[in-house]
Amino acid sequence: MEKIPILKLGEILLVSIQVDMHDRLAITLQDDLTARIVKDRARGVLIDISSLEMVDSFIGRMLGNIAAMSQALGAQTVVVGMRPAVAITIVELGLSMQNVRTALNVERGIEMLQRAVEESEEDTTHEPSGT
Amino acid sequence: MSLPGPETLELKTSEDVVRARQRVRVCMKDQGFGLVDQTKMVTATSELARNAVDYGLGGTMRIESLEEMGRIGIRLVFLDHGPGIPDIDLALTDGYTSGHGLGLGLGGSKRLVNEFEIWSKPDEGTRVTITRWR
């Protein structure tokens, strides 16, 4: 079956979408990623969409779902590499992507995730114990 | 310059939606549209083709290159014989969804093109015509 590969880099899961996704493939990715976050105890998910020539409402919703589901499982999601023409188009389409964190490229996305992971670790260590 | 003749693509599965997007992309490129125009039209194609597959029980997309008063354009006609849309104004409202979508399909596509026309009749089907000029 056709699948989008998910790579593991430390506590981060990396996905680079290189194909023109049909809707079922997008749903499969969403399901696979949530399963992998649990299995690999991931703290962050980085989705590279620099190869995507288009983001429509379905793919936008999938990205939002992944961000919300990973959040519920204790992981942060960052979407990176959106093309300028795609950014212009989704704004006119009316997709807000307000629940999805974005970064310009993979490098910045990984920095963002590492910071988020460190912060959430600090939060846990500074929590008062025994209350 | 001679324009390529119109052609019609089947829309039955989500793979057909991908094929429709790719066909429109190639056509827009061939007619010299810029990247933003291509992306807008391809995105509108994706929304409307998906509507035809998911809500219209499948349909067709007709693609036509136009030349009018020195202008180059692409016109797409999405046709299905599904249940139709009972309230078109409502369906064009952002956030309105009859199913599992975000409700941006129709209203959103309208904003991405230069001309937008919709006809729908309960139990007969839906036809959406969009045009983008270069």
Side-chain angles (χ1 to χ4, degrees):
Chain A
M1 206 180 92
E2 206 182 353
K3 263 182 194 291
I4 293 168
I6 301 169
L7 308 175
K8 187 172 180 289
L9 185 78
E11 292 182 302
I12 295 173
L13 296 178
L14 288 174
V15 180
S16 181
I17 304 172
Q18 302 279 346
V19 291
D20 199 346
M21 277 191 299
H22 56 73
D23 292 359
R24 270 182 296 106
L25 191 57
I27 292 169
T28 308
L29 174 63
Q30 193 177 300
D31 295 347
D32 287 353
L33 256 179
T34 39
R36 283 288 296 273
I37 290 169
V38 174
K39 183 172 157 269
D40 294 340
R41 298 166 190 262
R43 308 290 298 273
V45 176
L46 186 122
I47 304 174
D48 174 20
I49 60 166
S50 58
S51 295
L52 280 192
E53 293 185 328
M54 175 222 71
V55 169
D56 63 5
S57 63
F58 194 89
I59 295 174
R61 186 164 60 113
M62 176 206 72
L63 295 172
N65 284 351
I66 290 174
M69 288 170 188
S70 63
Q71 180 82 55
L73 296 168
Q76 308 294 323
T77 296
V78 176
V79 172
V80 304
M82 185 181 292
R83 296 183 180 194
V86 172
I88 292 168
T89 301
I90 62 167
V91 170
E92 277 188 28
L93 181 65
L95 263 180
S96 65
M97 303 269 282
Q98 54 189 1
N99 305 318
V100 182
R101 281 207 255 186
T102 53
L104 198 59
N105 54 33
V106 174
E107 220 172 353
R108 290 202 192 166
I110 287 181
E111 277 170 24
M112 201 186 235
L113 281 176
Q114 279 168 342
R115 262 201 315 273
V117 168
E118 278 163 22
E119 273 165 25
S120 69
E121 268 165 7
E122 274 168 27
D123 287 351
T124 10
T125 39
H126 292 163
E127 242 166 55
S129 53
T131 47
Chain B
M1 193 178 75
S2 70
L3 294 174
E7 56 179 301
T8 301
L9 276 76
E10 289 278 335
L11 299 172
K12 286 201 163 70
T13 65
S14 63
E15 284 88 347
D16 291 339
V17 176
V18 175
R19 272 190 283 276
R21 293 202 292 250
Q22 291 169 347
R23 192 70 200 94
V24 170
R25 171 79 65 180
V26 169
C27 221
M28 297 283 288
K29 262 187 203 163
D30 287 350
Q31 296 301 320
F33 281 89
L35 193 54
V36 173
D37 279 353
Q38 288 174 30
T39 307
K40 286 180 180 176
M41 195 65 160
V42 169
T43 307
T45 301
S46 191
E47 301 292 344
L48 298 173
R50 176 180 300 109
N51 281 354
V53 171
D54 288 355
Y55 305 116
L57 314 168
T60 55
M61 177 185 82
R62 188 183 132 100
I63 179 165
E64 189 182 0
S65 302
L66 310 169
E67 196 177 354
E68 257 175 49
M69 298 188 292
R71 290 194 302 179
I72 298 285
I74 301 271
R75 178 166 293 155
L76 306 173
V77 183
F78 298 86
L79 179 68
D80 70 59
H81 300 287
I85 301 167
D87 187 339
I88 291 177
D89 287 339
L90 184 62
L92 278 165
T93 313
D94 273 359
Y96 169 79
T97 170
S98 59
H100 39 266
L102 283 176
L104 292 171
L106 276 182
S109 321
K110 191 177 174 185
R111 286 191 291 272
L112 295 175
V113 298
N114 299 128
E115 289 166 27
F116 181 96
E117 201 186 290
I118 182 165
W119 169 93
S120 187
K121 213 170 173 186
D123 298 322
E124 280 186 34
T126 301
R127 187 183 62 229
V128 181
T129 307
I130 58 173
T131 311
R132 188 141 189 124
W133 297 101
R134 202 178 70 196

